[in-house]
Amino acid sequence: MLSFKHLEKFCSYPSCCYPFISLSHSVSPSSPLFFSLSPPLPPRAPFNLPSFFLSAILLLFLCLVVAPSSFSAALGSNSGKCPPLCTCTVNLTSVDCSNQQLFSPPPLLPRGIRNLSLAHNSIEMMPSGYLSCQPELVWLDLSNNSIMTLPHGMFSSQSKLQFLDLSRNNLTSLPASLLHPAQRLTFLRLAHNAWLTELVVDQFAGLALLQELDVGHCGLRVLSVQVLDGLVGLSSLQLEGNPWVCGCAVEPLLNWVRNKIHRCSAGPTLTAECHSPPELEGIPLFSLTEESFRACRFALSIDDYLFIAFVGFVVSIASVATNFLLGITANCCHRWSKATDSEEI
């Protein structure tokens, strides 16, 4: 039997905790000391099924909705950090990641940046939606990389973009509506993309504020004036270094530039040279005059030839039908005259 002195000695150790003392092995269950040191457990609450399901639903909601969104927000915001291998201004509005031998752009960018340079790297592809969280972007330099194409909607959030440099890449084409959201674009450089052989109609639709367009040293052989019609604010156009075909199709382009020559720079624009036909190779493109295209006034296009062929076919059918009707009429008249002569005899 455990005495009070033993109990006092036992409880003098720091490890002794009164609510958890169990004396069942040293004190009989009928002892009042047993009941005084082991307070009765509170009665168990009855099981409530609706409350259980409500708690389970609430826990499931926290796990599936609140937690993932909070995690993704924490992962994607990166609002206060400069990307590795990049230099940033103190307020994180300018990020310079140029000349870092990057094969892909930094996965996380500070929010609210205004200037971004990824120039002089080895980037081959821009991820879709990469700039979707950068609506304040004004200046973007992607020059001197290995980019072959840009995803549709890449600039869907860049309504404030004013400067875009895509020069010295491996671009083969541009999505027709790529630049439509960037209606404040002022400077656009596409130079030195040797595989860029075509700019589609409406490529620059809505870019009324564009002042400088550089498409020099690309693979352009012809350039439709419909591509340039909406560029009412253009003041500088670089066309040099392209393999221009100086045929009848280039005359509208020359006329369009000459009508804007009082606003266009007279330097690189006028140094563009003809690449073909062979008799005009090396001739400055803008040295061609209206006399050079006199033969084009009388040249027939494919549409003209098709129209002439159609008209000839219709005339032939009409002539055959007319001859057939005349033959029938002559035959009827001949028979009628014979019948009349026989009746008179």
Side-chain angles (χ1 to χ4, degrees):
M1 184 69 65
L2 185 67
S3 65
F4 285 101
K5 292 183 179 181
H6 292 92
L7 180 63
E8 290 176 357
K9 182 178 180 181
F10 176 76
C11 290
S12 64
Y13 292 99
S15 60
C16 176
C17 184
Y18 172 78
F20 299 100
I21 296 175
S22 176
L23 304 176
S24 58
H25 294 287
S26 57
V27 182
S28 64
S30 59
S31 172
L33 181 62
F34 177 83
F35 294 101
S36 62
L37 294 180
S38 299
L41 295 175
R44 179 179 297 178
F47 181 73
N48 192 336
L49 186 62
S51 300
F52 172 77
F53 279 110
L54 182 61
S55 301
I57 293 174
L58 180 59
L59 181 61
L60 184 64
F61 173 79
L62 293 175
C63 292
L64 297 182
V65 178
V66 177
S69 60
S70 302
F71 175 76
S72 60
L75 181 64
S77 63
N78 194 34
S79 57
K81 294 182 180 180
C82 186
L85 302 179
C86 302
T87 56
C88 305
T89 56
V90 177
N91 55 5
L92 296 178
T93 57
S94 296
V95 179
D96 184 2
C97 305
S98 59
N99 290 289
Q100 297 298 325
Q101 300 181 355
L102 300 177
F103 290 96
S104 61
L108 297 176
L109 293 174
R111 291 184 182 271
I113 63 175
R114 295 175 55 85
N115 305 313
L116 174 62
S117 176
L118 298 173
H120 297 277
N121 285 294
S122 301
I123 300 173
E124 297 183 356
M125 182 183 66
M126 295 297 294
S128 179
Y130 181 70
L131 299 175
S132 58
C133 295
Q134 305 298 337
E136 302 298 322
L137 193 63
V138 176
W139 192 91
L140 177 61
D141 189 354
L142 298 175
S143 63
N144 289 275
N145 279 284
S146 302
I147 302 173
M148 299 184 64
T149 185
L150 295 172
H152 291 272
M154 178 175 175
F155 303 115
S156 58
S157 302
Q158 277 60 60
S159 59
K160 298 182 180 181
L161 189 65
Q162 298 181 16
F163 178 92
L164 177 60
D165 193 346
L166 297 171
S167 62
R168 298 184 185 276
N169 277 281
N170 296 328
L171 292 173
T172 57
S173 63
L174 295 175
S177 60
L178 178 70
L179 300 172
H180 291 182
Q183 296 189 1
R184 297 187 185 180
L185 196 63
T186 306
F187 300 94
L188 176 60
R189 297 175 181 172
L190 299 171
H192 294 277
N193 283 283
W195 303 106
L196 186 61
T197 59
E198 182 183 12
L199 295 174
V200 300
V201 177
D202 294 334
Q203 188 86 72
F204 307 128
L207 303 185
L209 300 180
L210 191 66
Q211 298 178 11
E212 178 182 325
L213 175 61
D214 187 355
V215 291
H217 298 279
C218 293
L220 300 175
R221 298 171 62 86
V222 294
L223 181 61
S224 172
V225 294
Q226 295 178 347
V227 179
L228 306 173
D229 274 342
L231 305 180
V232 295
L234 195 66
S235 60
S236 177
L237 177 63
Q238 283 76 41
L239 300 172
E240 78 284 357
N242 286 284
W244 297 109
V245 177
C246 295
C248 297
V250 80
E251 184 182 13
L253 175 62
L254 298 182
N255 292 335
W256 187 90
V257 174
R258 286 186 177 119
N259 290 336
K260 299 173 68 68
I261 199 66
H262 61 283
R263 287 182 293 167
C264 292
S265 61
T269 301
L270 300 181
T271 60
E273 296 181 351
C274 297
H275 186 265
S276 61
E279 60 269 19
L280 295 178
E281 184 176 1
I283 299 297
L285 182 63
F286 285 89
S287 66
L288 302 178
T289 62
E290 292 185 1
E291 296 295 326
S292 306
F293 301 100
R294 176 177 295 182
C296 298
R297 309 290 192 278
F298 308 100
L300 298 178
S301 64
I302 295 178
D303 294 336
D304 296 331
Y305 284 114
L306 292 176
F307 178 75
I308 293 173
F310 176 75
V311 171
F313 176 76
V314 172
V315 170
S316 300
I317 296 298
S319 62
V320 171
T322 302
N323 291 332
F324 179 74
L325 292 175
L326 290 176
I328 293 177
T329 303
N331 190 23
C332 291
C333 291
H334 181 68
R335 290 183 179 182
W336 180 76
S337 62
K338 281 186 177 183
T340 303
D341 292 341
S342 63
E343 288 179 359
E344 290 179 354
I345 296 175

